[in-house]
């Protein structure tokens, strides 16, 4: 598999890096992360104008008609700058599941709004699939009644629409598009380790929904949610690569400036070796992410192979982000622990993201289970 970026893809990566270096500089990140909403509205508008919100969505839905590779290139740069925007939750998760569901006027309307950045969506993705949240849906004469509790939903407090899975009395999985301001819907923001990414608890109490707000149900929905989980894992891994890369860049800059014994500490062999280990971790994770994205674009319906690639990317990138953040903190010395220096912000993102979409142990268990149940001749 050729993981080299095309000229167009390289231009996307370069332009995203240039744009975010200015639009999501650390002073702006710090200010926004301490605000009430945690949303950099100006940055979000700028991204929407550039077409980022519809990068992997079909042109008929208002998107650019590109693929997961282009999405992960943006995710990598967003992670590198700790951008305070709901791109991962609204675009990489919510829009991804909507594009897979049976066509309906409501789903298409929301997909178009998400593709243009005019609306924000939050998806309560059950992890592990099937575990779900304590939510039930009951049919009524006019549609559905939804009640339940969905913990730790990314960007829920910022969303215009909530995509909430629930179960019927027969145990069938259903997915609803719930307006965030609908009567009976409550969103409670959470204080989290990573202030640059907001989470909230969603509660619904006897929320009345028209029948058209049920987007999908049954086996087709469960397959779409599983595929969204895998795509989301690859996108989140790309973000972790960006975190790891920036930790390395911050460390190299600091090591070149900090002096001991009248010499920059970057000249010390021990520092060089630790920076080299960071570089190896970053490049290995990046290759895993790009490979997984290429595979997803080439064979999106090969669920078994996609799981292996997504798990590899998820594990490699998460470990790289955690390792590089810790090394950056250490190589910055005592100042790395202070609020004025940035490494601890990246450590918070690396740690918080390690638990999104299931911990690494869960992904490794899925791979082990698949390998153990796969006939030997098929391996």
């Amino acid at each position: 598999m050729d993981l080299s970026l095309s000229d167009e893809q390289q231009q996307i990566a370069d332009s995203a890096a240039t744009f975010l270096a200015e639009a999501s500089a650390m002073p702006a990140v710090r200010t926004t992360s301490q605000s009430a909403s945690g949303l950099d509205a100006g940055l979000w508008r700028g991204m929407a104008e550039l077409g980022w919100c519809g990068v992997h969505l079909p042109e008929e839905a208002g998107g650019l008609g590109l693929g997961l590779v282009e999405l992960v290139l943006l995710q990598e740069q967003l992670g590198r700058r700790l951008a305070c925007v709901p791109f991962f939750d609204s675009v990489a998760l919510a829009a991804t599941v909507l594009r897979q569901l049976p066509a309906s006027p409501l789903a298409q309307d929301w997909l178009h709004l998400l593709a243009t950045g005019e609306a924000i969506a939050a998806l309560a993705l059950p992890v592990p699939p099937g575990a779900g949240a304590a939510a039930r849906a009951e049919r009524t004469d006019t549609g559905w009644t939804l009640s339940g509790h969905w913990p730790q939903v990314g960007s829920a407090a910022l969303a215009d629409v909530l995509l909430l899975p629930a179960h019927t009395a027969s145990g069938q999985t259903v997915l609803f598009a719930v307006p965030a301001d609908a009567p009976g819907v409550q969103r409670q923001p959470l204080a989290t380790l990573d202030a640059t990414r907001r989470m909230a608890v969603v509660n619904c109490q006897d929320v009345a929904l028209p029948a058209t707000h049920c987007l999908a149900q049954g086996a087709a929905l469960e397959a779409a949610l599983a595929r969204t989980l895998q795509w989301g894992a690859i996108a989140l891994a790309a973000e972790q690569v960006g975190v790891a890369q920036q930790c390395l860049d911050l460390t190299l800059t600091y090591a070149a400036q900090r002096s001991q014994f009248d010499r920059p500490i970057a000249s010390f062999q021990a520092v060089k070796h630790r920076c080299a280990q960071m570089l190896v971790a970053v490049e290995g994770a990046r290759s895993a992410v790009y490979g997984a994205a290429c595979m997803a674009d080439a064979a999106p319906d090969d669920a078994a192979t996609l799981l292996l690639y997504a798990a590899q990317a998820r594990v490699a990138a998460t470990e790289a982000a955690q390792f590089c953040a810790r090394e950056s903190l250490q190589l910055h010395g005592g100042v790395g622990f202070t609020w004025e220096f940035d490494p601890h912000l990246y450590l918070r993102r690396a740690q918080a993201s390690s638990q999104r979409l299931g911990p690494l142990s869960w992904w490794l268990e899925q791979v082990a289970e698949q390998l153990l149940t796969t006939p030997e001749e098929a391996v």
Side-chain angles (χ1 to χ4, degrees):
M1 180 184 296
D2 183 8
L3 301 183
S4 301
L5 299 179
S6 66
D7 291 341
E8 292 77 9
Q9 291 169 338
Q10 190 61 59
Q11 289 176 1
I12 290 174
D14 292 343
S15 63
T18 301
F19 172 73
L20 290 171
E22 179 179 353
S24 186
M26 287 310 296
V29 170
R30 289 176 176 273
T31 299
T32 304
S33 66
Q34 298 175 59
S35 67
S37 68
L39 170 66
D40 188 333
L43 174 59
W44 183 248
R45 286 194 299 272
M47 292 167 56
E49 291 172 359
L50 291 171
W52 289 12
C53 296
V55 62
H56 70 313
L57 299 179
E59 295 181 9
E60 56 268 25
L64 299 181
L66 301 177
L68 185 57
V69 172
E70 289 76 16
L71 177 66
V72 303
L73 294 177
L74 298 180
Q75 275 286 127
E76 181 178 344
Q77 297 304 323
L78 289 165
R80 188 177 179 184
R81 299 299 175 184
L82 300 181
C84 298
V85 290
F87 187 86
F88 174 71
D89 295 306
S90 186
V91 178
L93 293 182
T96 296
V97 75
L98 281 178
R99 62 174 286 186
Q100 300 178 69
L101 300 180
S104 70
L106 181 62
Q108 293 303 309
D109 288 345
W110 279 117
L111 193 60
H112 187 275
L113 291 173
L114 298 186
T116 57
E118 299 175 58
I120 296 171
L123 170 64
L125 189 63
V127 178
R136 69 180 189 278
E138 298 180 358
R139 284 189 177 276
T140 65
D141 294 337
T142 58
W144 295 84
T145 297
L146 178 65
S147 296
H149 171 81
W150 296 264
Q152 299 182 2
V153 181
S155 302
L158 303 173
D160 301 292
V161 62
L162 304 169
L163 305 182
L164 303 178
H167 292 92
T168 63
S170 62
Q172 188 176 52
T173 304
V174 288
L175 182 68
F176 295 94
V178 182
D181 57 356
V185 177
Q186 294 183 339
R187 296 173 289 171
Q188 179 182 352
L190 295 171
T192 58
L193 178 67
D194 177 18
T196 64
R197 170 167 284 156
R198 298 303 173 93
M199 310 286 288
V201 174
V202 177
N203 291 292
C204 291
Q205 182 63 43
D206 296 328
V207 177
L209 297 170
T212 55
H213 283 236
C214 178
L215 300 178
Q217 55 188 305
L221 171 60
E222 292 178 356
L225 290 174
R227 191 178 298 109
T228 299
L229 175 61
Q230 294 168 350
W231 276 50
I234 297 170
L236 184 59
E239 181 182 286
Q240 291 283 64
V241 169
V243 169
Q245 180 66 65
Q246 187 64 8
C247 287
L248 174 58
D249 292 345
L250 290 172
T251 303
L252 293 176
T253 300
Y254 180 80
Q257 297 172 346
R258 180 76 169 96
S259 295
Q260 284 288 343
F261 309 111
D262 297 323
R263 294 172 55 190
I265 65 172
S267 65
F268 299 152
Q269 191 174 44
V271 174
K272 291 180 180 179
H273 284 178
R274 295 178 75 167
C275 290
Q277 289 177 316
M278 295 168 68
L279 177 61
V280 170
V282 171
E283 291 301 324
R286 180 176 287 119
S287 294
V289 170
Y290 287 6
C294 287
M295 188 274 155
D297 284 339
D301 296 324
D302 188 349
T305 305
L306 183 57
L307 171 62
L308 299 178
Y309 276 80
Q312 181 186 27
R314 176 88 173 103
V315 172
T318 299
E319 291 180 344
Q322 292 178 313
F323 173 73
C324 290
R326 290 194 298 264
E327 287 294 285
S328 181
L329 204 69
Q330 291 295 318
L331 291 172
H332 272 75
V335 299
F337 291 88
T338 64
W339 182 249
E340 291 77 14
F341 282 72
D342 298 334
H344 75 286
L345 297 178
Y346 287 89
L347 179 63
R348 288 169 179 254
R349 171 63 71 89
Q351 292 293 95
S353 294
S354 70
Q355 301 304 307
R356 288 293 307 267
L357 307 185
L360 299 190
S361 59
W362 181 82
W363 286 94
L364 293 173
E365 288 173 2
Q366 303 311 299
V367 172
E369 181 180 348
Q370 178 168 296
L371 292 176
L372 290 173
T373 56
T374 300
E376 185 175 348
E377 60 272 13
V379 176

